Amino acid sequence: MIPTLLCVVLLIFVLFEITPGDPALTILPSDSWTEENIARVHKELGLDDPILVRYVRYLGNAVQGDLGTSYLTKTSVTNEIAQKFPYTMKITFISVIMAIVAGIPFGVIAAKHQYTLTDNISVFISLLFVSMPNFWFALLLARFFGVQLGWLPTTGVETWTGYILPSATVAITSLAAITRQTRSSMLEQIRQDYVVTARAKGQIEGKVIYGHALKNALIPIITVVGTNIANHLGGTLVAETIFSIPGLAKYMITGLNGRDYPVVLGSVLFISAVFCIVMMVVDIIYAVVDPRIRIQMMKKNNSGRKTKARKEAAAA
Amino acid sequence: MEKTAQAGEAFLDIKDLVVEYHTDDAVIHAVNGVNLKLAKGETLGLVGETGAGKTSIARSILRILPDPPAKIMKGEIWFNGENILKLPEKKVRSIRGDKISMIFQDPMTALNPIETVGSQISEAIRLHNSISRADANKQAVQMLETVGIPGKRFTNYPLEFSGGMKQRVVIAMALACKPELLLADEPTTALDVTIQAQVLEMMRDLQKDFGASVILITHDLGIVAEMCEKVAIIYAGEVVEYGTAEDIFDHRAHPYTEGLFGSIPTIHTKTKRLNPIRGMMPDPANLPSCCRFAGRCPYTTDECTSSYPEMVECKSQPHTVRCVRARVKEGGSQ
Ligand SMILES: Nc1ncnc2c1ncn2[C@@H]1O[C@H](COP(=O)(O)OP(=O)(O)OP(=O)(O)O)[C@@H](O)[C@H]1O
Ligand SMILES: [Mg+2]
């Protein structure tokens, strides 16, 4: 995880270095764009130092929890992120749950009725969603549920209902992927012998499908969900913009537009860290769901312990 | 109140069973008008080469054929005075795993890989007995020990077991509710020879203890000699010969059965495997309307290729054969 984050920061430093544009120009009002003013700003921000020095200095501060100060607003990036991230996190989280809750049953139903009308309809619906641009879907939702029906608010998140439309917007990012993955891994599982065994025991069909087959089909589905969380984080950008939510994604875009390097760096670093943690959680979920993985992990630990013990014994 | 088979009425009676698989490009006639009877406590061997329809017959009894593509087109399966094929799904579910259970062909894939073996056995117990989870687990531990697996392995997963142990678990699961009828689909084919013998012995002991009737599907005539009282030879989805083990081993009448035995083996030869018979079983998607064995039979006559042979009763009851030669041999004792 640490090397990944170091690389992420380095990459952004390099990208900033090679992209044209100067933060001093956005900080200074355009009538004071003189050589010496610009040089003064550069000096203040430490932009004259070589890239490696800046990189190491940034990391040193970041380790202590200081992600720098915004060039434009002069506020602490750490504080701003702490304030804005909860919105983004909630939208991402709710949207992932929505995608799972809709996508998995869709996939299971499609698999159970393979090649029938039901199958085609659910594949069609998921294709429809995947080919719909997020922003357009967001506008449709806002118009229908917000304006026409007046059920849900279209701006802000003063109440929990404000999260529904933005989350739904983001949910379609991975709905189709989850549906398709569920369908294909269920198709594989429902042909397996152990499914027939479960039926032969007298188990009811629902338990056979959801209790036995789906549990076995979960691993690849979890992988798809895990890798799509990054896309969901990205998707919140559209949702936060359209539904005016003061979240992290919006903060980052403002930073990008203003060449506010600390804001962009801090946000990206933070989101990358979150993503790394999510991936670790996904690995843990694998082990919880699948005893085969759990047993393998335990064996590795045991053999590690054994070799260590053997080495110690040899040393003694 | 339990319904029991009335006098004169067989415990299991399969009448004119027809099973077809409707795939995209063909209709496969897997079972074509099979009649079989089984008395209480009896062991019936179903013998036939691969693709003959043995598994399809067994799965029909539990109504667990894969649908689609399988369809039971015709027939009746009477069990304890009820026609299973006409029962509502809910009723069949209460029979599955309780009164009738099945040991599957391949122990490596018959267990759910991500559930502990113990919970898979106790699942079967809890489905048919209204007892607490703890009590069901206790019974499951007992079942494991009955099949020779230490009870403390209850919480192990199938991948921690060898093939033979998995098959024991499958057997424990099938016997967990003390079934009246056990369908054993090649219970030992996937095992090596030493373990085969152990598993068979165990099945026999358990059958004695539980008093179950058994349908034993196998390719192995040695196993039939050891285990079965009655034998049905299945060819291309039909019973071509049926009788007591003695009849089949010592007075067999169908050329296909002869082919199965090669030339000499007797009931005392235990490990004789199927001898290859020249030619192939007819394509089940495209069966001839005459005798299905005519294409491979050394005694084929014009009658064999022009008409369909009926079941003929031989002298020693209940021995029946589907062959015109038998009718001649037995002097038309229809
Ligand atoms: N799911 C299926 N789809 C299509 N055809 C099938 C299916 N299952 C079985 N069949 C066909 O039905 C026929 C009978 O199969 P069945 O499995 O009953 O044979 P078997 O006697 O049990 O053979 P084996 O000894 O190999 O287990 C075969 O021709 C087989 O190809
Ligand atoms: Mg079979």
Side-chain angles (χ1 to χ4, degrees), chain B residues 50-51 53-56 105 185-186 217 219:
Chain B
T50 183
K54 307 179 297 290
T55 302
S56 304
Q105 203 160 348
D185 192 354
E186 307 192 28
I217 297 173
H219 290 184

Side-chain angles (χ1 to χ4, degrees), chain B residues 158-265:
Chain B
L159 84 160
E160 299 171 89
F161 281 28
S162 69
M165 290 170 85
K166 276 186 206 158
Q167 189 62 303
R168 282 157 190 260
V169 173
V170 171
I171 293 173
M173 203 156 68
L175 295 175
C177 294
K178 306 197 172 35
E180 295 169 24
L181 172 60
L182 182 64
L183 310 170
D185 192 354
E186 307 192 28
T188 57
T189 308
L191 309 177
D192 72 56
V193 186
T194 44
I195 298 173
Q196 260 186 30
Q198 281 175 31
V199 168
L200 284 179
E201 198 176 302
M202 189 187 75
M203 273 184 51
R204 212 169 21 210
D205 290 348
L206 295 172
Q207 190 196 355
K208 243 182 266 153
D209 298 347
F210 292 113
S213 309
V214 178
I215 293 183
L216 179 66
I217 297 173
T218 181
H219 290 184
D220 190 330
L221 291 165
I223 293 177
V224 174
E226 248 179 279
M227 307 277 297
C228 302
E229 287 136 35
K230 300 278 168 58
V231 182
I233 309 289
I234 313 288
Y235 185 76
E238 300 178 325
V239 178
V240 292
E241 184 161 7
Y242 171 85
T244 61
E246 282 79 9
D247 285 336
I248 300 291
F249 276 82
D250 298 334
H251 312 288
R252 55 185 163 270
H254 198 283
Y256 178 66
T257 317
E258 274 176 33
L260 283 182
F261 278 90
S263 42
I264 8 159

